[in-house]
Amino acid sequence: MQVRFLIILVLASICGFTAADSTITIYRFDIKEEIAPPIWRKTKMAIEEAHEKNCDIILINMNTYGGLVDAADSIRNKILKSRIPVY
């Protein structure tokens, strides 16, 4: 629990939030499988949902051995084009 709190504090300081600001909304999702078309769809839907919910930060908890290059490139492009910072 302390690690999550520390991560939130670090992300808040990176984004320039202060105590006077309202709550920070973090959209978090996991990528724990091999990179393939289903993970590309999961990532696409997660980032789109974060934008719909007007989140402040997208946090990807990733632990993967890799996978297909075309799916990885699509995920990379979606992350780079996100209006919301992705960590």
Side-chain angles (χ1 to χ4, degrees):
M1 195 63 153
Q2 290 179 344
V3 172
R4 287 185 183 178
F5 181 71
L6 181 60
I7 290 171
I8 291 170
L9 285 177
V10 169
L11 291 175
S13 66
I14 290 171
C15 295
F17 289 98
T18 63
D21 290 325
S22 61
T23 348
I24 301 168
T25 307
I26 299 175
Y27 188 97
R28 180 184 175 271
F29 71 99
D30 296 331
I31 297 178
K32 302 284 184 163
E33 305 86 3
E34 185 174 321
I35 302 299
I39 300 307
W40 155 234
R41 285 190 294 277
K42 176 182 179 178
T43 303
K44 180 181 175 200
M45 291 171 43
I47 291 175
E48 288 172 358
E49 184 177 357
H51 281 95
E52 289 171 8
K53 292 183 175 184
N54 294 316
C55 294
D56 299 304
I57 294 170
I58 298 172
L59 181 61
I60 303 173
N61 182 22
M62 185 183 301
N63 185 11
T64 179
Y65 290 106
L68 301 176
V69 174
D70 59 338
D73 188 54
S74 296
I75 291 170
R76 178 189 69 91
N77 286 331
K78 189 71 173 174
I79 290 170
L80 291 174
K81 291 178 182 177
S82 174
R83 294 185 319 269
I84 302 171
V86 180
Y87 299 95

